[in-house]
Amino acid sequence: MRYSGIGGQAVMEGVMMKNQEKYAVAVRKPDQEIVVETSTYEGLIKNKKIRNMPILRGVFSFIESLVLGMKTLTFSASFFEEEEEEKSGSRKAEKRAGAKKPAPTEEEQKKKEKRQENALMGGTVAISIVLAVAIFMVLPYYISVFFQRFITSQTLLALLEGVIRLTIFIGYVAAISLMPDIKRVYMYHGAEHKCINCIEQGMDLTVENVRKSSRLHKRCGTSFLFLVMIVSIFLHFIFVLVPSYWFRLFGRLLMVPVVSGISFEIIQWAGRTDSKFALMMSKPGMAMQKFTTKEPTADMAEVAIKAVEAVFDWRAYLNENFGY
């Protein structure tokens, strides 16, 4: 397998693919037309020296993936809200007809909607991070504290906290995979992985080749999150001998960026090598992907291919890395 550098995510009835700063979203509309939008996202930190620093780049990448993920999900969902928008548009027209002040121009309206979208996106990302930390970091700690009346060893309590964290994470992933709407998203997630695996294995990017490729990939976000859980277990053993309750709690919160940074470095390394050790390290996370990816249909694979081709010259990649 040869590293391609592309990655992506599933969106509503489509796939987003990213190659460096360039990304594309391909969505199959209700009328079955495939629409592709291509744009660029330079990230939060423009200084390349800072954004490429080990550990820190993992923190930046995690936050940026949330921001871009929300943006592309919003774009894909817009194609399935046309009826609501038409109703809303008619109501606005009625209000404007009875209003004394002149209606805003189309350009002013777009700027206003853009500001509202950015504010909503920023708030959603912030809330998502807070909830994730609360559920997967703070909650397991409080549950483990309850067992202090039965267990006196701080080492065993730290281990118990890790087991609780993994249980909550696996249970959450397994539970949402049962939802019908989420299942379709997971099918597109599988199509995204299959496209990347197809070209990294040296095959032409066709629907047939994509469908017979693996839906599991070492650089998946699911593997990253699972690795975050594992790394946090090891790093939280640092606090075993700390006597202060509040120091142990806030110490865990302060360790969140470090945990995500280390996890990012590990998963990037594993994605660039075919060593047996890297494969062994990747297997637990790839096993989790059996929940978050499903086998896509041929039309889903077609959508994913459109997203790849909008940002990545796979023919040049095959010629350079495989000689054909």
Side-chain angles (χ1 to χ4, degrees):
M1 179 178 289
R2 302 291 177 86
Y3 178 74
S4 65
I6 62 172
Q9 72 167 54
V11 296
M12 186 176 292
E13 294 300 324
V15 170
M16 181 274 286
M17 283 291 185
K18 187 172 184 291
N19 181 24
Q20 297 180 1
E21 286 82 27
K22 191 176 181 181
Y23 73 91
V25 189
V27 179
R28 189 177 291 278
K29 295 166 60 178
D31 62 3
Q32 300 306 305
E33 176 192 357
I34 300 176
V35 61
V36 181
E37 180 180 85
T38 306
S39 187
T40 58
Y41 180 68
E42 296 181 356
L44 302 173
I45 308 297
K46 303 298 185 293
N47 189 307
K48 290 187 177 182
K49 288 185 178 179
I50 296 176
R51 67 176 290 111
N52 290 327
M53 290 178 65
I55 306 300
L56 281 180
R57 60 189 174 189
V59 180
F60 299 145
S61 178
F62 175 65
I63 297 174
E64 289 170 358
S65 66
L66 287 176
V67 173
L68 185 58
M70 285 299 305
K71 184 176 182 178
T72 53
L73 276 170
T74 302
F75 170 76
S76 65
S78 66
F79 294 102
F80 304 91
E81 299 172 351
E82 291 180 356
E83 291 184 2
E84 292 182 11
E85 288 181 358
E86 288 176 3
K87 292 178 182 178
S88 176
S90 63
R91 286 195 295 268
K92 287 179 181 178
E94 291 173 3
K95 288 182 179 179
R96 288 170 185 166
K100 294 182 179 180
K101 61 180 182 179
T105 64
E106 185 178 348
E107 185 178 353
E108 290 173 338
Q109 185 66 22
K110 285 183 177 179
K111 287 182 178 180
K112 182 181 178 181
E113 290 176 355
K114 186 67 176 178
R115 288 195 298 268
Q116 291 175 340
E117 181 184 330
N118 289 339
L120 178 62
M121 195 178 304
T124 303
V125 170
I127 292 171
S128 299
I129 293 174
V130 171
L131 286 176
V133 171
I135 294 172
F136 298 114
M137 294 296 176
V138 178
L139 180 60
Y141 174 66
Y142 273 111
I143 295 176
S144 67
V145 167
F146 171 79
F147 288 93
Q148 282 186 352
R149 66 185 71 180
F150 311 111
I151 303 173
T152 57
S153 171
Q154 290 298 318
T155 301
L156 285 178
L157 283 172
L159 185 60
L160 177 63
E161 179 188 347
V163 172
I164 293 170
R165 182 175 295 113
L166 278 176
T167 302
I168 292 174
F169 175 70
I170 294 171
Y172 169 79
V173 171
I176 64 172
S177 68
L178 300 176
M179 300 170 62
D181 291 341
I182 296 296
K183 184 178 179 181
R184 284 194 64 81
V185 174
Y186 284 174
M187 291 171 75
Y188 277 105
H189 190 193
E192 176 230 325
H193 281 190
K194 281 173 171 281
C195 279
I196 298 174
N197 279 322
C198 177
I199 58 178
E200 290 187 341
Q201 294 288 352
M203 295 188 292
D204 285 352
L205 194 62
T206 63
V207 171
E208 182 183 359
N209 287 340
V210 167
R211 294 196 72 188
K212 67 183 182 183
S213 298
S214 172
R215 75 175 199 263
L216 310 179
H217 198 280
K218 290 187 288 186
R219 297 197 313 274
C220 175
T222 304
S223 294
F224 169 76
L225 293 176
F226 184 80
L227 197 54
V228 165
M229 301 294 116
I230 299 298
V231 172
S232 68
I233 293 174
F234 286 99
L235 291 187
H236 288 170
F237 273 103
I238 296 172
F239 302 100
V240 166
L241 300 178
V242 176
S244 170
Y245 164 82
W246 291 108
F247 190 88
R248 289 198 300 269
L249 175 59
F250 286 107
R252 282 164 167 75
L253 298 179
L254 293 173
M255 288 291 285
V256 169
V258 179
V259 169
S260 63
I262 293 174
S263 301
F264 178 83
E265 297 299 327
I266 294 174
I267 203 166
Q268 285 294 305
W269 164 77
R272 293 172 182 265
T273 178
D274 290 326
S275 70
K276 291 183 179 180
F277 181 69
L279 183 60
M280 181 183 69
M281 290 279 290
S282 303
K283 276 188 175 181
M286 292 174 73
M288 285 296 300
Q289 292 175 39
K290 292 181 179 179
F291 288 114
T292 62
T293 63
K294 303 295 181 184
E295 287 295 330
T297 58
D299 60 335
M300 290 178 173
E302 183 184 3
V303 173
I305 290 172
K306 293 286 187 183
V308 174
E309 292 183 330
V311 296
F312 187 76
D313 188 346
W314 59 268
R315 292 176 179 84
Y317 167 84
L318 292 183
N319 183 55
E320 180 181 348
N321 291 276
F322 297 92
Y324 57 85

